[in-house]
Amino acid sequence: MLPSLGPELALAACMFVGAALYTSVGHAGASAYIAMMALFGVTPAAMRPTALVLNIVVASFTSWRFIRADLFRWRTLWPFLLGAMPLAFLGGSIKLPGEVYRPLVGVVLLLGAARLLWPRPVRSALEWGDPPIPVGVLCGAGIGLLSGLTGTGGGIFLSPLLMFAGWSDVKTASGVAAVFILVISIFGLLGNLASVGALPSDLPIYIGAVMLGALVGTTLGIRLPTNVILKALGLVLVVAGFKLIGVY
């Protein structure tokens, strides 16, 4: 019986690393979990609800840590949430066939990799301002729909958008992204509650692994440089993204 647990334990170990890396920058790790599940041959039907459940668990803890550290701004968040919540619910209710879902997730992972492999450190504007409400709502709608369709929390899109547009400083952007991911993951899962029937029996092992990873990541993230490890994770996303698209 022990040999049969080998792949599951190996996947849990990878998820632990992914959670530690992602939570160090305020993310919950859905794109990493999806990449790892793809590499371990998890079925597309199980990938989306599993990633969302793990996202909810990790984002709850990460949000609490950032809010407690006063690294969160409600005015920055709410326009994006207003647009994203209904679209995340809609996206979650759409069940895409595997031949559509896999390439779509592959593209999302490659976009996430591009963010992680950015040749220069992302720098927020020295003088930042709150996002215009209509623009925030529209951007949130786009992020929410894609998040619901793919089973990601949207943090890989929201964080760089906030910093590139000068709508937040780096630390606060991480806190805003953490709460955004939590809410959108919940709405994405509510959009298709029937999908929870595809959750793997080993889910408690994965939850334990990502919670330990979140504890490590949120504790060490503000003290340790993340450029090298995030770039390494970006390479993993590249491999998984091309695998899902069917390049090899």
Side-chain angles (χ1 to χ4, degrees):
M1 184 174 181
L2 287 177
S4 66
L5 290 177
E8 288 78 12
L9 291 177
L11 177 55
C14 292
M15 287 182 172
F16 164 81
V17 175
L21 295 177
Y22 267 75
T23 55
S24 69
V25 292
H27 293 184
S31 56
Y33 309 144
I34 289 174
M36 293 162 188
M37 286 188 282
L39 293 175
F40 277 82
V42 176
T43 62
M47 285 167 60
R48 180 165 68 171
T50 300
L52 285 172
V53 169
L54 295 178
N55 243 29
I56 292 168
V57 171
V58 172
S60 297
F61 180 73
T62 306
S63 297
W64 173 73
R65 292 293 298 268
F66 276 94
I67 292 173
R68 188 182 181 190
D70 199 26
L71 296 173
F72 173 74
R73 182 171 168 79
W74 173 246
R75 170 57 181 84
T76 304
L77 174 64
W78 75 259
F80 294 97
L81 277 184
L82 185 63
M85 288 188 293
L87 272 297
F89 183 89
L90 174 63
S93 68
I94 300 173
K95 186 176 181 180
L96 298 177
E99 61 270 19
V100 175
Y101 174 77
R102 293 177 70 87
L104 178 60
V105 176
V107 171
V108 172
L109 294 181
L110 291 176
L111 290 173
R115 162 68 181 89
L116 294 171
L117 295 171
W118 195 259
R120 295 182 179 179
V122 176
R123 293 185 294 181
S124 62
L126 293 177
E127 295 183 3
W128 58 270
D130 291 318
I133 292 175
V135 176
V137 172
L138 288 175
C139 291
I143 294 173
L145 179 61
L146 189 58
S147 299
L149 285 171
T150 61
T152 62
I156 57 175
F157 305 113
L158 181 60
S159 291
L161 174 62
L162 291 176
M163 290 182 281
F164 289 149
W167 292 335
S168 177
D169 63 278
V170 175
K171 293 295 183 181
T172 303
S174 296
V176 169
V179 180
F180 180 89
I181 291 167
L182 172 59
V183 175
I184 296 309
S185 296
I186 292 172
F187 271 78
L189 192 60
L190 288 175
N192 189 8
L193 280 177
S195 68
V196 300
L199 290 171
S201 59
D202 300 296
L203 182 63
I205 298 175
Y206 304 148
I207 290 176
V210 298
M211 279 301 296
L212 287 174
L215 178 62
V216 173
T218 54
T219 300
L220 299 179
I222 61 173
R223 303 174 185 173
L224 298 177
T226 59
N227 286 340
V228 174
I229 54 178
L230 288 179
K231 285 179 171 54
L233 185 57
L235 294 176
V236 173
L237 296 185
V238 169
V239 173
F242 281 122
K243 177 180 174 65
L244 284 168
I245 291 173
V247 173
Y248 62 90

